[in-house]
């Protein structure tokens, strides 16, 4: 069984991922944002396998302390699923430095602040895996031009994965990026009531894809980018 850090655990995909891996008997370290539902996992039938903490992952010092605390408690930890994210619309002319900085903190720094201290530990133990959640606007300029801050911040996750994979080559350390098209969530259904939600990607299917990457069938994959688009 694995010991897995899941950031953004309170989000729709985060909850699906925590549920999926907790049901399989893995130990989950669920990072929740400040002010999020404190009872989210305490009432789960698998609560004993879920260690939930509230913290600000945009803070480098807080994040490093969180990672080092988990390592001290559980040296078997070998996986981090960096799922924290947020969205911001806006064309290039509409995007301010403030909005870009906000997206960088939410979509990139929350991952970077986990990767930096954890990568050092993975290198010492000779194994480790990261999963990042990309975004289609980050690789598709026709979509990215209308959500510039979001697209730019998500694009850095691809570069981070490349760096991890190069540094982790021959050390059994790898990073993968999963790119959902549009998640089928209550929020997105409310925002787009006339859209064909059946063509979107469910959080459960995203969790299954991540489970494949972490399982035996995915262990030979390297430098993996999965476009989880369904029909959207």
């Amino acid at each position: 069984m694995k010991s897995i850090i899941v950031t953004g655990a309170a989000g729709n995909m985060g909850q699906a991922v925590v549920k999926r891996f907790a049901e399989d008997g893995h130990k989950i370290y669920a990072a929740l944002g400040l002010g999020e539902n404190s009872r989210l996992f305490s009432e789960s039938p698998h609560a004993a396998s879920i260690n939930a903490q509230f913290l600000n992952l945009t803070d480098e010092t807080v994040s490093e302390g969180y990672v080092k605390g988990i390592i001290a408690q559980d040296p078997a930890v070998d996986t981090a699923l960096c799922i924290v994210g947020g969205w911001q619309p806006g064309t290039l002319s509409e995007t301010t430095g403030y909005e870009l900085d906000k997206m960088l903190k939410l979509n990139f720094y929350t991952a970077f602040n986990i990767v930096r201290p954890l990568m050092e530990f993975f290198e010492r133990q000779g194994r480790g895996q990261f999963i990042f959640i990309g975004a289609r606007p980050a690789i598709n300029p026709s979509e990215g031009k209308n959500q510039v801050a979001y697209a730019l911040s998500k694009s850095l996750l691809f570069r981070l994965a490349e760096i991890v994979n190069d540094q982790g080559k021959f050390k059994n350390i790898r990073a993968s990026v999963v790119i959902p098209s549009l998640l089928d969530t209550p929020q997105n259904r409310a925002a787009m009531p006339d859209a064909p939600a059946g063509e979107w990607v469910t959080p459960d299917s995203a969790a299954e894809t991540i489970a494949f990457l972490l399982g035996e069938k995915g262990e030979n994959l390297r430098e993996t980018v999965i476009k989880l688009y369904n029909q959207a």
Side-chain angles (χ1 to χ4, degrees):
M1 294 295 103
K2 289 181 174 292
S3 293
I4 304 171
I5 295 173
V6 180
T7 72
N12 291 287
M13 189 189 300
Q15 290 185 54
V17 165
V18 170
K19 180 176 182 291
R20 173 69 171 76
F21 286 106
E23 285 177 348
D24 286 349
H26 299 292
K27 178 65 178 178
I28 308 298
Y29 295 93
L32 308 176
L34 300 178
E36 291 180 327
N37 184 0
S38 61
R39 302 177 65 183
L40 191 59
F41 300 118
S42 63
E43 298 175 350
S44 164
H46 308 286
S49 299
I50 305 170
N51 182 319
Q53 276 191 248
F54 299 89
L55 64 158
N56 176 13
L57 291 177
T58 67
D59 187 309
E60 182 179 15
T61 302
V62 168
S63 301
E64 183 172 5
Y66 176 64
V67 169
K68 289 183 175 179
I70 291 173
I71 291 170
Q73 175 184 342
D74 186 354
V77 64
D78 64 358
T79 306
L81 312 181
C82 299
I83 302 180
V84 176
W87 181 71
Q88 175 75 50
T91 63
L92 189 60
S93 62
E94 295 167 341
T95 300
T96 65
Y98 169 80
E99 289 162 337
L100 178 58
D101 186 55
K102 180 175 125 182
M103 286 290 97
L104 285 170
K105 286 179 178 177
L106 193 57
N107 291 318
F108 177 68
Y109 280 110
T110 55
F112 178 81
N113 289 342
I114 291 293
V115 170
R116 190 181 65 80
L118 201 51
M119 185 68 177
E120 181 181 345
F121 173 67
F122 285 174
E123 288 185 297
R124 290 200 308 269
Q125 73 172 358
R127 72 180 190 280
Q129 187 169 3
F130 298 99
I131 305 289
F132 304 130
I133 305 302
R136 193 160 59 182
I139 59 173
N140 186 343
S142 66
E143 294 185 35
K145 67 184 180 183
N146 294 314
Q147 38 201 315
V148 171
Y150 175 71
L152 289 175
S153 63
K154 282 289 190 179
S155 71
L156 286 177
L157 293 174
F158 293 88
R159 305 293 79 80
L160 181 59
E162 290 169 356
I163 290 169
V164 168
N165 282 322
D166 190 75
Q167 187 171 328
K169 193 179 294 184
F170 311 119
K171 299 175 183 177
N172 198 27
I173 301 170
R174 56 194 166 120
S176 303
V177 184
V178 175
I179 313 171
S181 54
L182 192 59
L183 280 179
D184 184 2
T185 66
Q187 296 89 337
N188 285 337
R189 283 183 178 243
M192 296 171 278
D194 298 324
E199 298 179 358
W200 300 349
V201 175
T202 67
D204 286 343
S205 67
E208 285 298 324
T209 300
I210 292 171
F212 171 80
L213 288 171
L214 300 187
E216 290 182 6
K217 293 181 179 179
E219 65 183 6
N220 291 323
L221 297 175
R222 293 294 183 274
E223 303 177 14
T224 311
V225 175
I226 294 182
K227 295 178 179 180
L228 193 65
Y229 289 176
N230 196 1
Q231 301 299 313

